[in-house]
Amino acid sequence: MGFYHFLSLGIVLFTIGVVGFVIRNNTMVLLMSVELMLNSVNLIFVAFSRYLYGTEGQIYVLIIMAIAAAEVAVGLAIVISIYRLFGTLDISKIKLLKG
Amino acid sequence: MLFKAIYLLPLLPAIGVLINGLLGKRFGDKTVAFVACTSVGLSLILAIGMLYQMIIADPAHRVITSSLYRWISDGSLQINVGFLIDPLAMAMIMVVTFVGFVIHFYSIGYMEGDSGYRRYFVCLNLFIFFMLVLVMGDNLILTFVGWEGVGLCSYLLIGHWYEKKSASDAGRKAFVVNRVGDFGFMLGILLVIVTFQTVNFAELKTILAGNHGISTATLAIISLLLFAGAIGKSAQFPLHVWLPDAMEGPTPVSALIHAATMVNAGVYFMCRIFPFLQQSQFVLPIIALVGMITAVYAACCAVGQKDIKKVLAYSTISQIGYMFMAVGCGIYVAGMFHLVAHGVFKGLLFLGSGAVIHAVKGEQNIANMGGLIKTIPVTAITFLIGLLALAGIFPMAGFFSKDAIIMGGYETYGIVYWLFGFGGAILTALYCGKLFGMAFLGESNFTGHVHKPNFFFKAPLVILAVCAVFLGILGLPMFTKNTYFAQFMGSSFNLGAGGHAAEGHGVSLSLEIAFTLIVSVFAISAIVLALFMYSKHRKKMIDFESRHEGLMMFLFKGFWIDKVYDTIWVRPLKWISNYSNNVCDKKIVDGAVNGTGKIAMEAGKTLARMQSGYVRQYAVSIIFGVFVLVGITVMFFF
């Protein structure tokens, strides 16, 4: 288990998150994909921190976790609002911003 | 004593303006007139007191200055609000306050029942104030303030009956034409400031009297620029076109502003800056030439006029031309004397014409008058006195003043100038005779009841007529340079030692008397002939005129100069304005502004189609954007 394994895992997780965000329709799943991307980045930060003998990466991870917690709270609130407004969580049916 | 209070002279009319202008809304017409006349009357009394003190004072101590406060201060340039009274200014102040007061008094009757009664008197008082500032200002800048102020009042009063289009047009024309001259005036002031670092008349005179080392070319340019201002204000050729039109204003205004005071300001100003003229020799012939052309030209035009006021307007232009001839010959005393005399008798003539117009209910065409001497004898006789003075018939004031100018021209420039002066005098006598013959003698062509003038009309006419007769005394003893008026002027026109000693030589007394007799005999014959022809044989003369209609029209229209200006200046300017409005503004400027808006709107419409509303698409574009940005960063920085 070396540095590159961690790096590869992070990249794979991030890609899964991105693809999930793009191809899925359920708003809840989109939120989860965002979380996945955030945490994959966390993983890479920690890996770098470990192999470069620095603490900056770990500090960033803590900051990202705090932001992620806040983001989840706001995100869930938005999801609930979307459901109340449109009666559905299917993101492909919501396009108020169409120009 | 009185001299300490010289600032009161302009202050009193200003107080009149404030009282009538700010508080006068509830005043009746009588109160307004009383305030206006009183303020000018007090100024007149003060001026007479000062005149008396100046006469009894030693000729060397006739210059009084009083500085109120420092107005502009910039390095070595200090400009005060200060007043200067010397005999030159005193003569002008007397004309302004005396004629001004008489005309204020006359206006009480003339403007009776006018809806703009208060406005009229406020403007008239304001005019007196600015005129006194112009005359008494001890520096160029303050004089310029007065100069522009009287221009403003002239504009306001010409356009007094602004509902009439011709009146408001005439006011604008006067203003615009004066701008042309004033542009030169301003440039002249700037050049004086740059060259001398002072604008004070007394200081300038001192500098110029000494060894100053300033080139005559600079002085000549300054003189010519300032002269341009004088040309505009004094309605000299080629900027005279506004004055005949200015007759649209009320007649007392024509008398005060466009005959007696404001239009003479140019002559006064030239006398004020005579050190400049004296030291730049080739400017004087130019001034004399302009005066000469104007004097003869305007006299020709006056012969062809049909409107009683326009005859007098052209006559005013012509007489001021004579004054400029005097200035151009370096005989400033004669010029100022003619100014004073002209102020009185031309004021009289205009007031007389006002009385005539009032009597015949607004008729101004002299062809429709006639025989008025039977119905309004006082007006007729005073008018005749004014005309005789204008024509220069012995023993009226005009005889002495004009003779001095014509002789001065001969002494300085020779026989050609004398001939022009002589020709102008004959023409003057001709139109005087024609005017009186047509309007007052012969059969009456006026149908309807003739209004009799009341006390407010008669009193000013009689006062001015008496003055027009007796002012000639100031021109005694004749044929010398040492007339009473010259004695009063004293050393006003002496520029240091020997600056003016060149005057008064070359012409023997007998030749002078002979020339004077020639002018007088010809003038008297011309006026008698014209009187006779236009009263007894008026039909023949009118036939004669209609046979030469082209020539009469040429004279009537003032040599078509208005038309020339219309073609050279007005129409191209209108064309350029239309072009800039329709093409430059509407197409280019508006096109650019509207085009910018249109581009933004079109761009917005096109770009809006990219907004699909799908969150997915936004996410993809964000990711794609990040890739691009990271890629660029990596490419350029690593």
Side-chain angles (χ1 to χ4, degrees):
Chain A
M1 292 277 276
F3 170 64
Y4 288 100
H5 295 96
F6 291 110
L7 204 54
S8 309
L9 179 64
I11 289 169
V12 169
L13 283 177
F14 188 85
T15 313
I16 292 171
V18 169
V19 174
F21 190 86
V22 173
I23 65 169
R24 296 300 293 266
N25 276 342
N26 194 317
T27 314
M28 278 305 291
V29 179
L30 298 193
L31 205 56
M32 284 155 66
S33 304
V34 172
E35 289 302 312
L36 196 61
M37 284 189 269
L38 280 172
N39 284 307
S40 69
V41 173
N42 278 351
L43 187 66
I44 294 169
F45 265 124
V46 174
F48 272 113
S49 173
R50 170 74 182 77
Y51 285 96
L52 293 176
Y53 304 107
T55 50
E56 295 93 334
Q58 298 177 30
I59 292 165
Y60 275 114
V61 168
L62 287 173
I63 293 172
I64 290 171
M65 279 173 153
I67 290 173
E71 182 248 308
V72 167
V74 177
L76 282 174
I78 291 173
V79 169
I80 292 168
S81 295
I82 286 174
Y83 187 76
R84 281 189 187 155
L85 258 177
F86 301 99
T88 174
L89 285 181
D90 189 342
I91 205 75
S92 63
K93 291 197 174 125
I94 305 166
K95 41 181 182 179
L96 271 186
L97 277 179
K98 184 171 166 52
Chain B
M1 296 149 277
L2 271 174
F3 283 144
K4 291 220 169 90
I6 58 175
Y7 61 87
L8 274 179
L9 267 179
L11 187 67
L12 286 165
I15 292 173
V17 171
L18 291 178
I19 293 177
N20 270 341
L22 298 178
L23 312 171
K25 205 154 196 182
R26 295 199 194 131
F27 288 180
D29 283 358
K30 276 188 185 147
T31 322
V32 169
F34 176 75
V35 169
C37 291
T38 311
S39 63
V40 180
L42 288 175
S43 268
L44 173 63
I45 292 168
L46 203 59
I48 290 172
M50 286 178 188
L51 178 70
Y52 174 70
Q53 288 202 329
M54 190 170 273
I55 289 171
I56 59 169
D58 180 56
H61 296 98
R62 282 180 179 170
V63 180
I64 303 95
T65 52
S66 145
S67 202
L68 289 188
Y69 60 93
R70 176 151 296 163
W71 181 20
I72 299 167
S73 169
D74 176 38
S76 62
L77 177 69
Q78 306 289 343
I79 300 170
N80 290 335
V81 171
F83 296 119
L84 160 79
I85 295 189
D86 56 0
L88 170 65
M90 199 65 231
M92 195 74 188
I93 289 170
M94 283 316 293
V95 175
V96 172
T97 51
F98 174 64
V99 180
F101 174 70
V102 169
I103 287 168
H104 267 73
F105 187 76
Y106 179 91
S107 302
I108 299 176
Y110 191 86
M111 299 302 286
E112 207 173 5
D114 191 272
S115 59
Y117 201 78
R118 184 168 69 101
R119 177 162 52 89
Y120 174 84
F121 272 105
V122 168
C123 290
L124 217 55
N125 261 7
L126 189 66
F127 171 78
I128 299 283
F129 164 69
F130 275 127
M131 195 66 208
L132 288 173
V133 170
L134 191 170
V135 174
M136 293 166 61
D138 76 344
N139 61 62
L140 276 166
I141 305 282
L142 197 59
T143 296
F144 187 65
V145 170
W147 186 272
E148 291 301 304
V150 290
L152 166 74
C153 294
S154 161
Y155 163 77
L156 290 172
L157 286 166
I158 293 170
H160 179 72
W161 291 311
Y162 54 87
E163 302 94 339
K164 227 165 82 187
K165 188 170 182 318
S166 57
S168 61
D169 280 353
R172 255 184 298 166
K173 185 171 177 185
F175 209 82
V176 170
V177 174
N178 266 303
R179 285 278 76 59
V180 180
D182 291 347
F183 185 62
F185 195 125
M186 279 187 269
L187 289 181
I189 292 177
L190 285 179
L191 198 54
V192 168
I193 291 176
V194 170
T195 319
F196 294 92
Q197 271 90 44
T198 179
V199 285
N200 190 295
F201 289 127
E203 286 172 25
L204 288 173
K205 195 172 168 183
T206 317
I207 293 175
L208 285 169
N211 196 2
H212 50 73
I214 291 155
S215 72
T216 49
T218 313
L219 292 176
I221 292 169
I222 292 174
S223 311
L224 286 177
L225 286 172
L226 295 177
F227 180 53
I231 286 181
K233 190 61 82 202
S234 290
Q236 294 298 287
F237 183 85
L239 294 180
H240 63 280
V241 288
W242 63 272
L243 191 57
D245 286 21
M247 295 301 123
E248 290 289 343
T251 310
V253 168
S254 310
L256 178 61
I257 301 183
H258 306 119
T261 54
M262 186 192 83
V263 286
N264 297 333
V267 180
Y268 167 77
F269 184 64
M270 285 293 115
C271 293
R272 177 56 79 202
I273 59 157
F274 83 97
F276 288 92
L277 310 181
Q278 219 44 39
Q279 300 209 344
S280 46
Q281 284 300 328
F282 72 90
V283 171
L284 284 176
I286 293 176
I287 295 177
L289 187 71
V290 168
M292 199 176 79
I293 291 172
T294 314
V296 177
Y297 155 80
C300 286
C301 295
V303 175
Q305 296 304 309
K306 300 187 177 95
D307 184 323
I308 185 168
K309 283 180 77 182
K310 290 223 167 149
V311 177
L312 297 176
Y314 274 108
S315 148
T316 305
I317 299 176
S318 158
Q319 296 305 308
I320 297 170
Y322 272 108
M323 295 174 209
F324 273 111
M325 275 172 78
V327 171
C329 297
I331 42 172
Y332 307 104
V333 172
M336 280 309 288
F337 183 39
H338 195 52
L339 190 160
V340 173
H342 173 260
V344 171
F345 66 68
K346 191 50 72 65
L348 163 66
L349 283 172
F350 266 112
L351 295 188
S353 76
V356 170
I357 294 165
H358 187 78
V360 294
K361 299 194 187 80
E363 179 62 58
Q364 297 200 9
N365 191 337
I366 48 174
N368 296 338
M369 298 173 185
L372 289 175
I373 194 164
K374 283 167 232 150
T375 40
I376 44 171
V378 177
T379 312
I381 288 166
T382 50
F383 202 82
L384 182 64
I385 291 171
L387 284 177
L388 292 178
L390 172 60
I393 308 295
F394 186 82
M396 307 295 174
F399 169 73
F400 298 95
S401 57
K402 203 186 279 178
D403 183 65
I405 293 175
I406 297 177
M407 282 319 294
Y410 175 70
E411 281 174 31
T412 321
Y413 296 113
I415 195 75
V416 178
Y417 273 63
W418 183 84
L419 280 175
F420 270 93
F422 175 67
I426 303 295
L427 285 166
T428 308
L430 263 182
Y431 67 69
C432 286
K434 178 183 170 183
L435 181 55
F436 196 77
M438 293 274 272
F440 292 97
L441 300 180
E443 289 164 22
S444 175
N445 285 339
F446 178 71
T447 50
H449 178 68
V450 176
H451 257 283
K452 292 264 159 51
N454 61 16
F455 173 71
F456 285 112
F457 284 91
K458 281 183 195 162
L461 290 176
V462 172
I463 293 171
L464 287 176
V466 169
C467 290
V469 175
F470 290 107
L471 256 183
I473 292 170
L474 288 177
L476 292 173
M478 269 196 96
F479 309 123
T480 62
K481 294 289 168 201
N482 207 22
T483 59
Y484 293 135
F485 191 72
Q487 284 171 21
F488 171 66
M489 281 292 169
S491 57
S492 290
F493 299 112
N494 275 347
L495 186 60
H500 225 248
E503 247 191 36
H505 61 85
V507 181
S508 68
L509 186 64
S510 51
L511 186 66
E512 258 191 67
I513 294 176
F515 272 174
T516 307
L517 280 178
I518 292 172
V519 176
S520 285
V521 167
F522 272 91
I524 290 173
S525 354
I527 198 168
V528 169
L529 182 74
L531 272 177
F532 181 69
M533 292 307 284
Y534 276 99
S535 55
K536 290 274 185 250
H537 302 282
R538 191 186 298 161
K539 287 226 168 63
K540 267 189 213 161
M541 290 311 289
I542 289 172
D543 283 347
F544 176 78
E545 282 186 9
S546 56
R547 254 180 286 137
H548 299 85
E549 210 188 344
L551 175 70
M552 290 314 286
M553 208 58 195
F554 183 66
L555 296 178
F556 178 65
K557 290 283 183 188
F559 294 15
W560 299 108
I561 283 185
D562 264 331
K563 203 143 209 179
V564 173
Y565 285 171
D566 193 52
T567 321
I568 301 180
W569 299 112
V570 180
R571 273 198 222 157
L573 257 178
K574 273 188 182 164
W575 186 83
I576 292 173
S577 311
N578 270 332
Y579 184 81
S580 0
N581 180 28
N582 290 333
V583 179
C584 293
D585 188 52
K586 282 194 179 149
K587 297 214 168 122
I588 298 174
V589 177
D590 284 5
V593 172
N594 291 339
T596 313
K598 247 179 209 161
I599 288 170
M601 274 173 71
E602 287 301 317
K605 263 183 207 159
T606 318
L607 292 174
R609 274 186 231 131
M610 290 167 63
Q611 305 286 332
S612 62
Y614 293 114
V615 176
R616 182 170 299 135
Q617 195 190 330
Y618 299 148
V620 172
S621 52
I622 290 170
I623 291 161
F624 181 73
V626 169
F627 272 114
V628 172
L629 283 180
V630 171
I632 290 172
T633 316
V634 169
M635 245 169 71
F636 283 102
F637 295 100
F638 292 99

